[in-house]
């Protein structure tokens, strides 16, 4: 499987200059790639384009040779840095999970999610606990490619490693593609097979 | 010494010690109780029981006739209670219909952006025409009576709730959790039902209650002007317009008490609405 970005150029309507210019990127499920860049360099924006979150851009994004689908479940899912923003504050966690897929007990255990957390509201869980839910939720069986945008930046070192190990285990089991976005060089060195610097592929 | 006595009094004074939430709940309970009591009382008053009694015509207020009697010797307190019950019933019908219209328009707008612009235009159109005029036209057009007035009031009072709901829904639609829901392949209708509706239910409840006072006042005014309920109905508007003829003869109580009672009912709905808003609003929840 292949996620391919060709000649991506993008500028926010409010901005004067292009943020991304002629970016080319080819990702597959054989290698885990780390995308590195300074804060504000446009990593999150590129992730949103790659996952079909942003629709108005120049260039093209294809998944297995096809444009990203506009309807139905999106095969390229994005995990956000701030899990609390992607959860309805009035929903209990079991409902939050079920919105994506019927999570198995095995998967709950793998991510260290306690059964008692399922009946709580998002406000009643810590950032690390919420991020476990956010990650597990994105691992719907129909997800083919996972993009993690600084997903562990807000967490302590131990939680960070725990969550990443669980994700990588499932990613390898299901032969999914995985892109890790980070500004943490050490983390990328230990986890990824290869690394890409955004400034090297960005032609602005 | 003085300090100590002050402490003691505040410990033993239950009202001073109540937190805001308890006070709010008490206010809601009390207002709702009075309103329900009025409606139930009015249901037990049979219009046939409001008999004419020519031995007790034009009597000023007394212990026997709290609100006095009219020119046919009918007890004004009984007539007023019956009228208030009718007012609340029509107010309820009109408010609920209004908010159903508002909910439908707001949600249709959130699903289809072309219809949304049309709805925005419709709201502005209805707001630019004086309510009372529109109510009279609709009421007459639909043959008058309880049905005509209820529809007239319902069809003119959906605008403010529609505005509130549209703004609220727009904001929820830009939230990250709604966008993610779309990425999980959920339809707009699914999102409207599961995400948006539970988040705006507070606004819907409060909005509906806050339409009540307007609905009641407008029904009474239109009826007073002779375009609403028929003169045979025991409505406050009818009582007031009849009383006008007798004001000149000095029967001040005929208009004063029914008018005041209507005002109190309207105020009670306003108080209930504002307090329910306070209670349901999460930002004031931990006071
Ligand atoms: N919605 C937006 N509208 C306008 N500018 C934005 C928006 N989102 C991000 N930016 C700007 O684009 C630049 C890149 O942002 P981002 O892609 O989040 O960078 P990174 O993830 O690498 O830190 C920043 O300068 C940021 O201020
Ligand atoms: Mg970022």
């Amino acid at each position: 499987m292949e996620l391919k970005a060709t000649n991506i150029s993008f500028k926010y309507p409010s901005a004067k200059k292009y943020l991304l210019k002629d970016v080319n990127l080819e990702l597959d499920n054989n290698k885990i790639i780390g995308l590195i860049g300074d804060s504000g360099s446009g990593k999150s924006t590129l992730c949103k384009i790659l996952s079909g979150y942003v629709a108005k851009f120049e260039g093209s994004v294809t998944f297995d040779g096809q444009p990203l689908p506009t309807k139905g479940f999106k095969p390229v899912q994005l995990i956000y840095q701030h899990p609390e923003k992607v959860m309805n504050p009035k929903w209990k966690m079991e409902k939050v999970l079920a919105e994506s897929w019927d999570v198995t007990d095995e998967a709950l255990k793998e991510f260290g999610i306690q059964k008692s957390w399922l009946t709580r509201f998002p406000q009643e869980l810590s950032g690390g606990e919420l991020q476990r839910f956010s990650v597990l939720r994105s691992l719907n069986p129909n997800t083919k490619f996972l993009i993690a945008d600084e997903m562990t930046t807000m967490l302590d070192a131990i939680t960070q490693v725990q969550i990443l190990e669980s994700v990588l285990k499932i990613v390898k089991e299901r032969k999914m593609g995985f892109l890790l976005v980070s500004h943490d060089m050490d983390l990328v060195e230990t986890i990824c097979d290869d690394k890409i610097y955004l400034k090297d592929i960005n032609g602005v | 010494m003085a300090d100590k006595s002050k402490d003691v009094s505040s410990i033993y004074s239950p009202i001073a010690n109540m937190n805001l939430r308890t006070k709010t709940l008490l206010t809601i309970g009390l207002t709702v109780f009075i309103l329900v009591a009025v409606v139930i009382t009015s249901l037990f008053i049979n219009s046939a029981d409001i008999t004419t009694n020519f031995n007790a015509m034009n009597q000023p207020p007394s212990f026997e006739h709290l609100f006095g009697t009219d020119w046919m010797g009918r007890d004004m307190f009984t007539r007023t209670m019956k009228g208030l019950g009718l007012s609340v019933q029509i107010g309820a019908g009109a408010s609920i219909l209004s908010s159903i219209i508002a909910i439908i328009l707001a949600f249709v707008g959130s699903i289809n952006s072309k219809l949304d612009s049309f709805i925005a235009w419709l709201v502005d159109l209805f707001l630019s025409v004086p309510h009372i005029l529109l109510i009279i036209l609709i009421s007459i057009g639909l043959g008058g009576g309880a049905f005509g007035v209820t529809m007239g009031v319902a069809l003119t009072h959906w605008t403010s709730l529609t505005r509130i709901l549209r703004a609220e829904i727009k904001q929820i639609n830009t939230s990250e959790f709604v966008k993610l829901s779309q990425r999980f392949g959920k339809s707009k209708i699914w999102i409207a039902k599961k995400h948006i509706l539970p988040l705006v239910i507070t606004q819907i409840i409060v909005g509906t209650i806050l339409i009540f006072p307007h609905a009641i006042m407008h029904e009474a005014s239109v009826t007073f002007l002779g375009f609403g309920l028929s003169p045979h109905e025991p409505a406050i508007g009818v009582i007031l317009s009849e009383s006008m003829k007798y004001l000149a003869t000095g029967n001040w109580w005929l208009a004063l008490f029914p008018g005041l009672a209507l005002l109190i009912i309207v105020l009670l709905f306003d108080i209930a609405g504002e307090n329910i808003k306070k209670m349901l609003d999460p930002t004031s929840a931990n006071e």
Side-chain angles (χ1 to χ4, degrees):
Chain A
M1 128 195 8
E2 180 195 52
L3 181 63
K4 192 174 169 190
T6 317
N7 291 331
I8 301 285
S9 295
F10 180 81
K11 132 181 163 14
Y12 280 106
S14 57
K16 284 197 196 80
K17 283 193 291 187
Y18 272 90
L19 181 60
L20 303 168
K21 190 90 195 164
D22 295 325
V23 174
N24 288 290
L25 197 57
E26 260 180 70
L27 305 163
D28 58 34
N29 60 346
N30 302 319
K31 269 187 185 172
I32 288 176
I33 307 286
L35 180 67
I36 305 163
D38 295 337
S39 165
S41 59
K43 301 183 300 292
S44 296
T45 308
L46 182 59
C47 289
K48 285 181 181 169
I49 291 172
L50 287 175
S51 58
Y53 201 107
V54 170
K56 275 189 192 153
F57 58 91
E58 294 159 39
S60 71
V61 175
T62 56
F63 184 67
D64 281 342
Q66 301 289 319
L68 292 171
T70 52
K71 277 202 170 75
F73 189 89
K74 307 287 187 292
V76 183
Q77 289 286 331
L78 181 63
I79 301 172
Y80 304 75
Q81 185 175 356
H82 303 286
E84 69 282 354
K85 283 192 187 161
V86 285
M87 293 174 185
N88 186 326
K90 293 266 173 87
W91 280 19
K92 288 190 175 160
M93 298 316 296
E94 51 193 356
K95 203 169 167 190
V96 169
L97 278 182
E99 188 184 15
S100 173
W101 61 297
D102 290 324
V103 178
T104 57
D105 282 358
E106 202 188 346
L108 286 178
K109 219 167 147 197
E110 175 64 52
F111 278 87
I113 291 175
Q114 291 171 19
K115 276 272 159 67
S116 64
W117 297 352
L118 292 174
T119 50
R120 294 201 204 158
F121 291 101
Q123 309 88 283
E124 299 167 348
L125 291 169
S126 74
E129 289 160 356
L130 277 184
Q131 194 59 294
R132 290 165 200 265
F133 278 97
S134 172
V135 173
L136 182 53
R137 180 161 67 148
S138 65
L139 287 169
N140 181 302
N142 294 316
T143 306
K144 301 284 187 290
F145 204 106
L146 202 57
I147 300 176
D149 183 12
E150 313 247 15
M151 76 173 187
T152 56
T153 309
M154 310 289 279
L155 308 176
D156 60 271
I158 297 171
T159 316
Q160 188 168 329
V161 172
Q162 276 177 351
I163 294 182
L164 271 171
E165 277 179 350
S166 306
V167 175
L168 290 177
K169 192 177 155 200
I170 292 182
V171 162
K172 283 186 179 136
E173 261 172 29
R174 296 195 194 159
K175 299 194 169 54
M176 291 163 55
F178 188 68
L179 175 70
L180 181 77
V181 179
S182 183
H183 60 251
D184 182 347
M185 280 297 293
D186 292 342
L187 187 72
V188 173
E189 294 284 0
T190 41
I191 282 174
C192 304
D193 304 319
D194 231 334
K195 54 180 183 281
I196 295 175
Y197 292 91
L198 181 57
K199 64 175 190 296
D200 292 345
I201 56 169
N202 194 357
V204 284
Chain B
M1 228 12 229
D3 273 347
K4 219 172 192 177
S5 73
K6 200 177 156 200
D7 278 356
V8 170
S9 81
S10 79
I11 288 171
Y12 290 103
S13 154
I15 291 186
N17 269 343
M18 269 194 290
N19 63 22
L20 194 66
R21 193 177 168 78
T22 323
K23 266 185 212 161
T24 310
L25 277 174
L26 204 72
T27 314
I28 296 169
L30 215 67
T31 44
V32 170
F33 173 78
I34 298 173
L35 291 170
V36 170
V38 166
V39 174
I40 290 179
T41 312
S42 82
L43 289 178
F44 278 107
I45 300 170
N46 193 332
S47 292
D49 288 347
I50 309 177
T51 45
T52 49
N53 176 358
F54 292 104
N55 295 323
M57 291 187 301
N58 298 323
Q59 287 191 355
S62 64
F63 280 113
E64 199 184 341
H65 301 287
L66 280 178
F67 289 6
T69 62
D70 66 6
W71 58 97
M72 293 203 284
R74 292 175 295 188
D75 179 51
M76 286 307 287
F77 180 73
T78 322
R79 285 191 78 196
T80 302
M81 290 305 281
K82 188 75 189 164
L84 288 180
L86 191 66
S87 289
V88 174
Q89 282 172 47
I90 289 184
S95 302
I96 291 168
L97 264 174
S98 266
S99 70
I100 290 174
I101 295 172
I103 294 165
I104 292 174
L105 290 181
F107 274 92
V108 165
S110 86
I111 288 168
N112 185 315
S113 61
K114 269 195 196 118
L115 281 173
D116 193 49
S117 329
F118 172 71
I119 290 162
W121 174 80
L122 209 62
V123 169
D124 288 338
L125 179 73
F126 268 75
L127 283 176
S128 65
V129 183
H131 269 176
I132 205 90
L133 193 72
L134 217 54
I135 298 172
I136 292 174
L137 288 177
I138 295 171
S139 178
I140 293 175
L142 292 173
F147 176 73
V149 189
T150 309
M151 291 308 285
V153 175
L155 290 174
T156 47
H157 283 71
W158 50 269
T159 46
S160 57
L161 184 58
T162 306
R163 268 197 169 167
I164 293 170
L165 288 180
R166 273 186 68 233
E168 199 71 23
I169 292 174
K170 271 223 175 86
Q171 211 205 325
I172 297 171
N173 267 330
T174 61
S175 72
E176 303 282 336
F177 60 81
V178 166
K179 287 192 183 142
L180 188 60
S181 196
Q182 288 163 355
R183 301 187 52 77
F184 288 148
K186 302 298 183 198
S187 69
K188 284 187 171 179
I189 291 175
W190 193 94
I191 291 172
K193 259 205 310 222
K194 305 279 176 154
H195 277 295
I196 298 173
L197 187 61
L199 288 173
V200 296
I201 199 80
T202 309
Q203 272 88 350
I204 291 176
I205 293 171
V206 174
T208 308
I209 295 172
L210 289 180
I211 297 174
F212 257 86
H214 294 265
I216 290 174
M217 278 309 244
H218 274 131
E219 179 270 310
S221 328
V222 172
T223 301
F224 177 81
L225 293 173
F227 300 108
L229 297 176
S230 92
H232 312 296
E233 303 272 6
I236 298 287
V238 173
I239 294 175
L240 288 178
S241 69
E242 282 176 357
S243 307
M244 285 302 124
K245 297 176 210 149
Y246 294 86
L247 272 188
T249 58
N251 296 355
W252 52 271
W253 58 88
L254 291 180
L256 179 70
F257 290 114
L260 220 54
L262 183 72
L263 220 67
I264 290 172
I265 290 289
V266 165
L267 277 177
L268 283 176
F269 270 111
D270 222 42
I271 293 170
E274 291 299 340
N275 278 284
I276 290 174
K277 181 153 90 187
K278 233 193 261 169
M279 191 187 67
L280 296 177
D281 187 1
T283 53
S284 64
N286 38 7
E287 278 265 8

